[in-house]
């Protein structure tokens, strides 16, 4: 649910540190659904495609809000240097730096310690909804990117999906299928779930996810407009992970989920409320 009061930047930072240190130390964070192998394969392929499109002899990347290293670990071997920033040391301590190509700093994503035009690729995975201002992070990404550099962000909550869940929850006396009820709880009552299961207060969790808890996710066209205003010459988005996709992948015959996804994409924009997340690719 939306908070009645927007948290301050300090409250957002403190909440993120508390929530993510707790989840990292308990091992719960690395059990998040996006760590499942099928999603890692999907993101690995996306990253490989982006890297292949970068015409640089030596490629340096920067991962904003690197956490326990989901993107960092996927990029090892793809690029020459991988830099990561986060404000939670307990998360970064779990990143494997043994390759010698991974370099980490404790830093806010809005104001990183890197020079202008330092990176060919900047990434932000499951991160933008944890910020007071995603616009500031887009500006920082633009600053540190080389000309023709790419910004990639994924697993961003889709406001159209949130609005659909809100409308379904408001339907008086309507019994929801379990798969829909679970999504309503996860999207609209995530704070209550974490308080009940992990002892993290609902207020703290909501403060750590202000875009999700207050704005109910991102409007993709709004994000693209902001990116173009900042100066990105190319800006596109894709909807991702439709309602029930994981269940279809694990319970149905191989390939069934792809058929459903193809149909839903063919029917866009009428089906935009059925996709949980947004992917953004911006080019400088």
């Amino acid at each position: 649910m939306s908070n009645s009061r927007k948290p301050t930047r300090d409250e957002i930072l403190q909440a993120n540190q508390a929530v993510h240190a707790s989840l990292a130390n308990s091992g719960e964070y690395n059990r998040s659904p996006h760590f499942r192998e099928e999603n890692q394969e999907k993101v690995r392929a996306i990253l490989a495609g982006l890297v292949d499109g970068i015409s640089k002899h030596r490629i340096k990347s920067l991962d904003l809000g690197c956490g326990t290293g989901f993107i960092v670990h996927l990029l090892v071997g793809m690029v020459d240097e991988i830099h990561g920033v986060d404000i939670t040391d307990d998360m970064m301590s779990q990143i494997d730096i043994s390759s010698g190509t991974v370099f980490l700093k404790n830093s806010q994503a809005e104001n990183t310690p890197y020079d202008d035009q330092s990176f060919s690729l900047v990434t932000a995975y499951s991160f933008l909804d944890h910020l007071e201002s995603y616009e500031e992070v887009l500006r920082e990404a633009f600053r540190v990117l080389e000309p023709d550099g790419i910004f990639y962000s994924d697993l961003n909550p889709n406001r159209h999906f949130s609005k659909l869940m809100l409308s379904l929850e408001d339907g008086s006396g309507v019994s929801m299928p379990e798969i829909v009820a679970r999504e309503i709880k996860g999207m609209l009552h995530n704070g209550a779930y974490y308080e009940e299961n992990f002892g993290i207060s609902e207020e703290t969790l909501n403060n750590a996810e202000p875009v999700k808890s207050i704005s109910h996710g991102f409007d993709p066209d709004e994000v693209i407009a902001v990116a173009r205003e900042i100066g990105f010459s190319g800006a596109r988005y894709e909807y991702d992970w439709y309602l029930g996709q994981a269940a279809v992948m694990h319970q149905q015959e191989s390939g069934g989920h792809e058929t459903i996804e193809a149909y839903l994409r063919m029917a866009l924009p009428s089906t935009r409320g059925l996709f949980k997340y947004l992917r953004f690719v911006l080019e400088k």
Side-chain angles (χ1 to χ4, degrees):
M1 286 293 187
S2 296
N3 289 334
S4 58
R5 179 185 66 85
K6 183 177 180 179
T8 65
R9 175 165 296 191
D10 283 345
E11 288 173 330
I12 292 170
L13 293 171
Q14 291 167 11
N16 272 290
Q17 287 174 321
V19 168
H20 291 105
S22 175
L23 294 177
N25 291 332
S26 68
E28 190 62 35
Y29 186 79
N30 288 345
R31 289 190 286 269
S32 300
H34 67 266
F35 280 90
R36 290 175 180 165
E37 184 55 35
E38 62 264 25
N39 188 57
Q40 293 199 49
E41 290 179 4
K42 184 176 188 175
V43 177
R44 185 182 292 112
I46 292 170
L47 290 169
L50 294 175
V51 169
D52 286 346
I54 297 173
S55 57
K56 297 287 182 181
H57 177 67
R58 183 173 179 80
I59 299 175
K60 292 172 58 179
S61 68
L62 171 63
D63 189 34
L64 303 172
C66 60
T68 59
F70 176 79
I71 290 291
V72 170
H73 294 146
L74 292 177
L75 280 172
V76 170
M78 277 194 210
V79 301
D80 299 284
E81 286 185 24
I82 308 157
H83 295 256
V85 298
D86 205 287
I87 61 169
T88 307
D89 289 331
D90 287 345
M91 298 193 86
M92 288 192 292
S93 67
Q94 298 184 23
I95 297 178
D96 182 0
I97 62 172
S98 62
S99 66
T101 61
V102 175
F103 308 91
L104 306 174
K105 290 183 183 292
N106 187 309
S107 169
Q108 294 182 34
E110 298 91 338
N111 185 25
T112 66
Y114 304 106
D115 293 336
D116 294 355
Q117 303 184 13
S118 295
F119 300 98
S120 303
L121 174 67
V122 175
T123 56
Y125 194 91
S126 186
F127 176 62
L128 295 184
D129 55 312
H130 294 276
L131 301 166
E132 179 190 30
S133 170
Y134 76 87
E135 295 94 332
E136 290 185 30
V137 169
L138 294 190
R139 291 186 187 280
E140 181 67 358
F142 185 86
R143 181 185 72 80
V144 301
L145 275 171
E146 299 169 339
D148 300 320
I150 296 172
F151 174 77
Y152 160 71
S153 180
D154 216 333
L155 213 70
N156 301 295
N158 173 20
R159 188 177 298 167
H160 296 302
F161 180 80
S162 299
K163 286 183 176 180
L164 176 59
M165 295 302 103
L166 280 166
S167 68
L168 291 173
E169 184 179 53
D170 291 342
S172 57
V174 177
S175 178
M176 290 293 129
E178 174 57 30
I179 195 169
V180 177
R182 185 167 60 247
E183 293 295 350
I184 290 174
K185 185 174 183 179
M187 179 59 68
L188 306 179
H189 306 285
N190 211 29
Y193 172 81
Y194 273 83
E195 184 164 347
E196 177 182 346
N197 290 275
F198 306 116
I200 298 169
S201 76
E202 182 173 1
E203 180 182 14
T204 299
L205 194 282
N206 287 339
N207 285 350
E209 300 177 333
V211 173
K212 187 175 180 180
S213 62
I214 298 173
S215 304
H216 294 303
F218 295 94
D219 180 309
D221 294 315
E222 175 187 290
V223 175
I224 294 301
V226 169
R228 292 193 179 281
E229 182 181 341
I230 288 171
F232 285 98
S233 59
R236 60 183 174 87
Y237 66 84
E238 297 177 74
Y239 295 101
D240 200 21
W241 285 105
Y242 61 81
L243 174 66
Q245 180 170 338
V248 175
M249 291 177 72
H250 296 143
Q251 298 172 16
Q252 304 296 322
E253 293 183 5
S254 177
H257 72 280
E258 295 173 347
T259 301
I260 296 172
E261 182 175 5
Y263 170 78
L264 292 175
R265 293 193 182 283
M266 182 178 65
L268 284 168
S270 63
T271 56
R272 63 186 183 179
L274 294 176
F275 288 93
K276 295 171 62 175
Y277 300 113
L278 294 162
R279 175 183 306 124
F280 298 105
V281 177
L282 313 177
E283 300 172 11
K284 183 170 179 177

